[in-house]
Amino acid sequence: MEATATSNPNTSNCPRIVVGLSRGQEKPNVSSVTAEARELGYDFVILPITFPSYRRFLFEQLIGSVDVNEKKIMEEWRKGHPFCREDLVVKNADVSDFMVGQVSNWINLDSPDHSIRINSEVIMRQQLSWLGHIGISAALLPFPSDSLMNYARCVNSIFGTVPYVNMWIKIPLILEDEILGLKETVTWERWNKFRTLCENHVKLSIALEVTQNLPEDNILDRWFAEPLKAVILPTTIFLSNAKGFPVLSKRHQTFVRKLIKYKPNFIIDCVADGPNHASGGLAAYQEYIHYLNRTMPELTQVEQFALGYHDFLQSPLQPLMDNLESSTYEVFEKDSTKYALYEKAIHHALLDHTNGSEEMILEAAEKAQKLVRVYAIEKNPSAFVTYVRYKDHLFVLITQELRFNIILNIRKFSLQNKKAEVWGDKVTIVFSDMRFWKAPEKADILVSELLGSFGDNELSPECLDGAQKFLKSGGISIPTSYTAFISPISSSKLYNEVAAYKDLAHFETPYVVMFQSASELAKPCQVWRFEHPNSNISVDEDGNPINNFHNTRYSKVTFNIRESGILHGIAGYFESILYKDIILSIHPDTHSVDMFSWFPIFFPLRVSFFFAK
């Protein structure tokens, strides 16, 4: 029982996507460009900060001029001389809520020429400072060259001077080189080097440029673990449909639909300063992206439940230590998949145990007072009194620790009201901790739902070891076993959220997380398994375990990581055999359909690790 049960922090069944326009004009008229973009249905525009004339400050020849006045102008400029009005594209804050500023792509912060390096830094500082002054909240920065050390240093030092400007660095999916051909991994590795040198600053994110050629899916998936703030779609990657309107290839559509879930800002980049397709004009591109959003597949039950919880760190529930609130139980009562699997497991166990037919089992449920004795054990004093109405099946509703006397023991709900209103004498309710209860008789079947996201992390083994003394010899435990799995994952978002606490304690805390901005670096591997009843326990005269050493586990696994990546933490899952072939699982490959009671568990690493291909 590991998914959250608090109020949803950020839900939206139909997220609105934002689409901007980049005309690629070096000398745009701000008022006409913004007016046209609004009319075409775009949400913002990309505009350069200065006109090309500002490039005059970049080159050495100005400094080497024999004109003493020009030398003086250059030195004054380097000292921080203000912009000349005629150099600025955007001269005031009139359109600050409708634009992203584009830092000039002709600067070269890693030039071998000392003067060009210095001048480039001055230009970038001036441009970003101007954006901050007029209230523009984002800047698009050029793609770094292979020699990016000084570029990263400059950007990292600027963050403190323009605290309200988010920096989107342009990163293409593939670097196309006429000599070397397509290079699929170099762009991620260059980005990783750049953000590492910038100390993973929270104001630094990616404007991912989708290229005509797409890399393999495992390389595409790696980008979902990164801080994507924008997705650039050049008009040249669009195809034309039968009527001449722009559309994307099937593979591009699939990738863009995945990206939509991350709610980035989409940017239509008009490479040719106009539409590349015969029909629809510039408006057709944003209309097509909105069409892809409108026609997204219907959310599954799990996806609907998880809205707002993606990448949301939560501490695991501790029902043994804490008395959970009624609202917590109520959320999990909605998970019909889990209860259907438990009911199926109990049904088959009864059939096997009684050698009866299906009709006999139904009759037993109908005449439970004669054929079945049920003990419902609840340690939570509030849950012992109240009952939240949600299901009316006996197997679903019996709560926290429940025994069926065939005894039933399932962690869910409360009991006095239910006994008075529905169960009557069919169920004996007991206020007790299951480990210390003195059972009046032994059970044929012991059913529990004490599983955590990692299987054993809610102390299911310890609880069931103390309760198995209630079972007859040869009795059945449901679940029969549960297995824990781990996989290495990359997620800069989750890592940064844990790091924001600035203490060791949060890095040594496991979290329950519905992963979204994360990439699995390798398939999950099994680490350990628990089985019930456990015949290898040394017990005292009352049947209680003498110690807990039998539940200690140690495991070592090896993962085959195919691509370069950053290891930020370990994801944990479980797979439980309820009875025979009836499996309840949150393992990615065997996840029980539409079940949402458990999110995976996340073990963050204090120090992230880079793995080279």
Side-chain angles (χ1 to χ4, degrees), residues 84-196:
C84 296
R85 180 175 172 80
E86 59 269 19
D87 287 324
L88 287 169
V89 172
V90 182
K91 297 175 173 59
N92 52 51
D94 289 350
V95 296
S96 60
D97 62 343
F98 193 71
M99 70 162 283
V100 170
Q102 184 167 18
V103 173
S104 299
N105 58 15
W106 40 258
I107 63 173
N108 187 352
L109 288 144
D110 290 283
S111 170
D113 188 298
H114 173 75
S115 295
I116 291 178
R117 285 200 312 275
I118 297 299
N119 296 340
S120 294
E121 181 174 352
V122 173
I123 290 168
M124 185 170 67
R125 286 182 180 276
Q126 286 181 327
Q127 292 184 346
L128 291 172
S129 179
W130 180 249
L131 291 185
H133 175 70
I134 61 176
I136 294 173
S137 61
L140 181 62
L141 276 62
F143 176 56
S145 66
D146 189 41
S147 302
L148 52 75
M149 305 290 283
N150 192 53
Y151 185 6
R153 179 197 63 80
C154 294
V155 170
N156 198 34
S157 67
I158 291 172
F159 284 124
T161 63
V162 285
Y164 303 111
V165 178
N166 293 282
M167 300 189 197
W168 304 350
I169 186 164
K170 184 177 181 179
I171 305 289
L173 273 175
I174 289 178
L175 197 61
E176 300 188 26
D177 189 290
E178 293 182 359
I179 299 175
L180 299 176
L182 300 180
K183 301 173 75 174
E184 297 186 345
T185 61
V186 67
T187 59
W188 181 87
E189 290 169 352
R190 197 172 296 181
W191 150 252
N192 182 59
K193 185 177 180 181
F194 191 92
R195 59 99 172 268
T196 301

Side-chain angles (χ1 to χ4, degrees), residues 473-494:
S473 177
I476 298 169
S477 173
I478 298 176
T480 301
S481 67
Y482 33 92
T483 304
F485 297 83
I486 62 171
S487 64
I489 67 164
S490 177
S491 175
S492 59
K493 181 176 181 180
L494 293 178

Side-chain angles (χ1 to χ4, degrees), residues 408-432:
L408 183 64
N409 162 10
I410 197 167
R411 169 168 100 207
K412 268 287 90 53
F413 248 92
S414 57
L415 299 176
Q416 287 188 13
N417 290 348
K418 185 63 176 179
K419 177 176 174 66
E421 296 171 12
V422 180
W423 292 338
D425 293 335
K426 296 177 184 178
V427 178
T428 300
I429 62 174
V430 179
F431 176 56
S432 176

